[in-house]
Amino acid sequence: MKQPLSKLLNRADIWRSSAPLQRQQGIASGYAALDQALHQGGWPIQAITELLYDPPTNGALQLLLPALRRLCRDGRKLVLIDPPYLPYAPALQAAGVAPQQLLLVRTSTIGDQLWAAEQTMRANIAGGMLCWPVDNLETGQLRKLQLAAHSSHGLSLLLRTTQASRDTSPAALRIVLTNTQRGYRLEILKQRGGWAGQQVEIACPEVLCEEQVPVTGLPVYQPAKIAAPDHPSLPVIESAELDFPLPTAGEQTRLH
């Protein structure tokens, strides 16, 4: 049965350039120059943001630290899906991001990874969802994630390599992240409802990742390298154990 055109145009994944978007208030990035360049005055909500970078750049958590800290102080959970490096729990705690509010999800297939990301956003159970896709994503997969993000009122981020910039994407915001001597340069490739092409340079001195513990596939969890005695560690679960809603910070999860 064919749907009326008016109903189709009301879909969350369809935007008409002739119709101005309602300006929502984003989540402040913590950097005045970046917030000024972003259409929502910060990281967009109810939408996917893509951060595109190439190794050895490992600045995503440093870049996002002010926003993550704000979300933690508001009592919201953070979900990290397949990060390339294990976040360093003592440094996170010192920076104001409570490890008890952060959950790592490990997956073994791209299907499990996308499912975990989609369900986290659809359930709107986290203030921030960060996902590092292990494979190239198809347009249909990205569109499905974008639709799921419309249900979330937190950060919804995909962290991909710059090779993905050659492909089209339904993500509302796409930013290329590169190293500079003082920090990072951000180039806005696309932002729905706002201008693209801006370049913003910011300083990010914080170190939040233990680079000596790379995460590839399903690594062995090494608590001695991640957290010293009397320091917190991060709860980690595998996708096979994931049954929404996600466990609360106080619940026990099996470490690897």
Side-chain angles (χ1 to χ4, degrees):
M1 181 178 178
K2 294 183 178 180
Q3 294 180 326
L5 179 60
S6 59
K7 186 174 182 179
L8 289 173
L9 292 177
N10 287 329
R11 285 175 46 135
D13 60 338
I14 292 180
W15 172 60
R16 291 176 291 171
S17 60
S18 59
L21 289 175
Q22 182 179 359
R23 187 181 178 90
Q24 295 177 304
Q25 183 64 39
I27 298 173
S29 71
Y31 310 99
L34 180 57
D35 287 343
Q36 185 176 3
L38 296 176
H39 173 62
Q40 293 186 10
W43 300 112
I45 60 173
Q46 294 184 298
I48 289 289
T49 293
E50 289 185 351
L51 289 180
L52 311 176
Y53 66 98
D54 288 324
T57 299
N58 191 27
L61 288 181
Q62 291 91 329
L63 172 67
L64 297 167
L65 176 61
L68 299 180
R69 180 165 50 218
R70 180 187 299 270
L71 292 169
C72 278
R73 288 176 178 173
D74 290 341
R76 307 191 68 181
K77 303 291 190 299
L78 306 174
V79 177
L80 275 62
I81 302 174
D82 295 325
Y85 297 94
L86 290 176
Y88 190 52
L92 284 169
Q93 186 177 53
V97 178
Q100 297 83 359
Q101 292 175 249
L102 193 151
L103 179 67
L104 269 65
V105 177
R106 305 278 178 76
T107 66
S108 56
T109 68
I110 185 64
D112 288 346
Q113 186 182 67
L114 297 180
W115 180 86
E118 180 185 354
Q119 297 304 316
T120 299
M121 293 183 291
R122 287 194 184 279
N124 191 28
I125 54 176
M129 187 286 299
L130 284 68
C131 179
W132 286 258
V134 295
D135 293 325
N136 292 331
L137 300 180
E138 299 176 356
T139 302
Q141 293 172 320
L142 289 168
R143 185 175 293 113
K144 191 174 183 180
L145 292 177
Q146 173 62 28
L147 286 172
H150 191 69
S151 301
S152 173
H153 291 273
L155 293 176
S156 300
L157 292 117
L158 299 181
L159 297 104
R160 312 175 65 191
T161 66
T162 56
Q163 184 177 356
S165 65
R166 306 171 187 172
D167 304 324
T168 59
S169 171
L173 177 65
R174 307 188 83 196
I175 293 179
V176 173
L177 173 66
T178 55
N179 287 94
T180 66
Q181 290 184 342
R182 297 185 56 223
Y184 303 100
R185 178 181 297 111
L186 287 78
E187 180 183 0
I188 300 176
L189 296 183
K190 168 191 175 182
Q191 69 169 321
R192 185 184 301 166
W195 293 102
Q198 304 99 311
Q199 292 191 4
V200 179
E201 292 197 13
I202 57 178
C204 295
E206 297 88 354
V207 177
L208 299 179
C209 294
E210 179 58 69
E211 296 188 358
Q212 287 71 35
V213 190
V215 177
T216 56
L218 293 175
V220 176
Y221 182 71
Q222 302 178 34
K225 295 183 71 64
I226 301 302
D230 301 324
H231 282 348
S233 60
L234 300 177
V236 183
I237 64 174
E238 292 187 25
S239 59
E241 301 174 274
L242 194 58
D243 185 16
F244 285 84
L246 289 173
T248 61
E251 293 178 348
Q252 297 298 316
T253 54
R254 181 160 58 89
L255 299 180
H256 300 271

